[in-house]
Amino acid sequence: MGAVKSLTELYKIGSGPSSSHTMGPEKAARIFKSENKDADQFKALIYGSLAKTGKGHMTDKAIIRALAPVRAEIQFVPQADFVLPHPNTMDFFAYKDGQQTTSMRVLSIGGGDIVIEGREEMQTPDVYPENTFAEISTICKANQIRLSDYVEQCEGKQIWDFLSGIWEAMKRSIDEGLAATGILEGGLNVERKAQYLYNQRHMDEGPETRENRIVSAYAFAVNEQNAAAGTIVTAPTCGASGTVPAALRYMQQKKHIPDEQVLRALAVGGLIGNLVKQNASISGAQCGCQAEVGTACSMASAALAELSGMGIDQIEYAAEVAMEHHLGLTCDPINGLVQIPCIERNAVAAMRAINALSLANFLSNTRKISFDLVVQTMYETGLDMNSSYRETSEGGLAKLYKIDS
């Protein structure tokens, strides 16, 4: 088992609607194009989950855009005649004067990251020597430092400039989403609801109702931007991009917290996300939505706990609770679009992160389940999950909506 990568590999500013289905394939296509400057034609074979939901996620458009102006043929192959090394697998081919010159197999492993078969040396270096929460907790307690201090020690002080840019992009995605109205493209006729939620004040609205409404509006704003191929931050993925910024933006405004403290919260949330990414998966195609929104909820709850000045055990408890109660969550996007249930699901997860924070404030000394254990459980649950519930749009809501519509 390798150690954990930098937070710069987790938080990425990019265009939606999917980190694994658009950002990853586009990145792969750009690399392939740069290595084949003499090619006069390209072809890409898209397998597995990428093929089954590729149209809805605009996978073909992302690849064609990256390979332009050279002509590119995209073929979706839902059922491959070989065992896929990952549910999101692609083969690229380059041609010159009608003859194939080279090929490249790529796995889109989630969060916009890719693995090129046979090129392990291209992987980015490890930054964190520890690879479990238990190990990190032991180090922090022995040295009497917070998790955010541990992040700075491993990443260097430059991490704060990076996270400052990430936080500005997160806030911008909320603002842009709140300002937009209309129908999202894709054929489901889903209307943007963020602005409506944000403005629907009730004359005798209580603080709890307002909190739910504002947090949900922020999450809707980001994920509607993502669904419209707008600019968002992977946290840890495009499809789960609204949970962390919604929870943090609301709490910052409620408690008048300076950005410097929010950056420390983002550092802790990112550390949690990277532990899941390293020891399990953040890919919906591999482990269902528990790997995406479940991880986002853990990240948000841990970030909120850091923002509240909680101790390491309380932060762990918050992250564990958030993940545990997403176990088994399926990824069944209707028509392969990150609209239903994805947008609403991020709002629910943001509120659940606040619930987990509250429980951690009272019950962390009674916990029985570690964060590392719940991450392992999520991974094994995901691998056991029927493929129709892992971003293939063949089961659940994706299947039944077609019957009813």
Side-chain angles (χ1 to χ4, degrees):
M1 181 185 295
V4 179
K5 309 291 184 184
S6 170
L7 297 190
T8 61
E9 296 294 309
L10 181 78
Y11 292 126
K12 299 184 182 75
I13 302 171
S15 300
S18 172
S19 47
S20 60
H21 287 59
T22 49
M23 288 177 65
E26 184 170 358
K27 178 180 180 180
R30 292 188 186 283
I31 291 173
F32 194 62
K33 178 185 176 183
S34 71
E35 296 176 350
N36 295 278
K37 291 183 171 63
D38 293 334
D40 55 25
Q41 183 181 352
F42 292 112
K43 181 168 74 173
L45 299 183
I46 312 300
Y47 306 106
S49 171
L50 284 178
K52 292 174 181 178
T53 60
K55 284 292 184 182
H57 286 95
M58 307 180 201
T59 304
D60 51 342
K61 293 181 180 179
I63 293 175
I64 290 172
R65 180 171 62 243
L67 296 175
V70 180
R71 184 165 62 91
E73 176 190 352
I74 312 298
Q75 292 183 13
F76 291 110
V77 187
Q79 302 297 332
D81 57 4
F82 62 95
V83 177
L84 296 178
H86 188 280
N88 294 333
T89 299
M90 303 164 277
D91 280 333
F92 289 88
F93 303 90
Y95 299 86
K96 178 69 173 178
D97 299 325
Q99 298 296 315
Q100 180 183 320
T101 56
T102 188
S103 65
M104 183 176 81
R105 176 162 290 174
V106 183
L107 320 179
S108 184
I109 61 174
D113 287 343
I114 61 172
V115 171
I116 301 174
E117 281 199 347
R119 302 192 194 180
E120 285 72 19
E121 74 281 357
M122 289 182 60
Q123 298 302 303
T124 55
D126 300 328
V127 169
Y128 297 88
E130 290 74 37
N131 57 28
T132 68
F133 191 94
E135 293 170 353
I136 293 171
S137 176
T138 298
I139 292 293
C140 290
K141 289 177 179 178
N143 292 280
Q144 296 182 325
I145 60 173
R146 297 189 64 80
L147 289 172
S148 55
D149 298 321
Y150 169 80
V151 170
E152 182 182 291
Q153 286 185 5
C154 294
E155 298 266 10
K157 290 186 180 299
Q158 67 270 17
I159 192 62
W160 303 122
D161 287 337
F162 169 78
L163 289 175
S164 178
I166 291 298
W167 181 231
E168 290 304 314
M170 284 181 167
K171 290 188 290 185
R172 191 160 54 247
S173 67
I174 292 175
D175 293 339
E176 290 173 352
L178 290 175
T181 58
I183 303 295
L184 294 170
E185 293 184 12
L188 290 180
N189 293 318
V190 172
E191 186 174 358
R192 286 179 179 259
K193 304 177 183 70
Q195 187 182 111
Y196 176 83
L197 270 172
Y198 187 77
N199 292 326
Q200 284 300 303
R201 298 177 180 86
H202 194 277
M203 61 182 296
D204 58 354
E205 182 177 75
E208 295 84 1
T209 300
R210 182 184 184 279
E211 176 175 276
N212 200 330
R213 179 173 59 79
I214 298 299
V215 171
S216 295
Y218 288 166
F220 267 76
V222 176
N223 284 92
E224 286 168 357
Q225 283 297 98
N226 177 62
T231 302
I232 48 81
V233 176
T234 57
T237 64
C238 289
S241 57
T243 300
V244 171
L248 286 180
R249 182 79 177 275
Y250 172 77
M251 204 60 71
Q252 179 184 38
Q253 292 173 334
K254 178 181 179 179
K255 296 187 176 182
H256 308 289
I257 296 171
D259 277 351
E260 290 74 16
Q261 287 179 241
V262 177
L263 302 188
R264 290 194 166 269
L266 279 174
V268 173
L271 185 61
I272 290 294
N274 262 350
L275 286 171
V276 179
K277 184 177 179 181
Q278 169 63 34
N279 298 316
S281 175
I282 58 170
S283 169
Q286 189 172 26
C287 287
C289 197
Q290 57 171 358
E292 294 199 43
V293 168
T295 300
C297 189
S298 280
M299 291 171 63
S301 61
L304 290 175
E306 168 67 19
L307 205 63
S308 301
M310 290 185 176
I312 292 175
D313 290 341
Q314 290 176 305
I315 292 173
E316 179 181 9
Y317 185 73
E320 181 272 315
V321 167
M323 177 64 79
E324 182 178 344
H325 299 289
H326 277 92
L327 291 177
L329 185 63
T330 61
C331 182
D332 53 350
I334 294 175
N335 287 0
L337 300 166
V338 284
Q339 297 179 15
I340 304 174
C342 317
I343 297 171
E344 190 175 83
R345 184 168 285 172
N346 274 258
V348 173
M351 289 304 303
R352 182 171 290 182
I354 295 174
N355 297 151
L357 173 74
S358 180
L359 286 175
N361 189 39
F362 298 109
L363 301 177
S364 61
N365 63 334
T366 68
R367 68 182 176 86
K368 302 291 185 181
I369 307 298
S370 69
F371 178 71
D372 294 326
L373 181 61
V374 82
V375 170
Q376 179 185 350
T377 303
M378 185 275 284
Y379 187 52
E380 294 188 7
T381 301
L383 297 182
D384 289 340
M385 194 179 292
N386 188 290
S387 63
S388 63
Y389 298 108
R390 293 185 298 184
E391 207 168 357
T392 58
S393 288
E394 295 178 333
L397 290 174
K399 175 185 176 182
L400 297 179
Y401 183 86
K402 292 175 184 176
I403 294 174
D404 294 338
S405 59

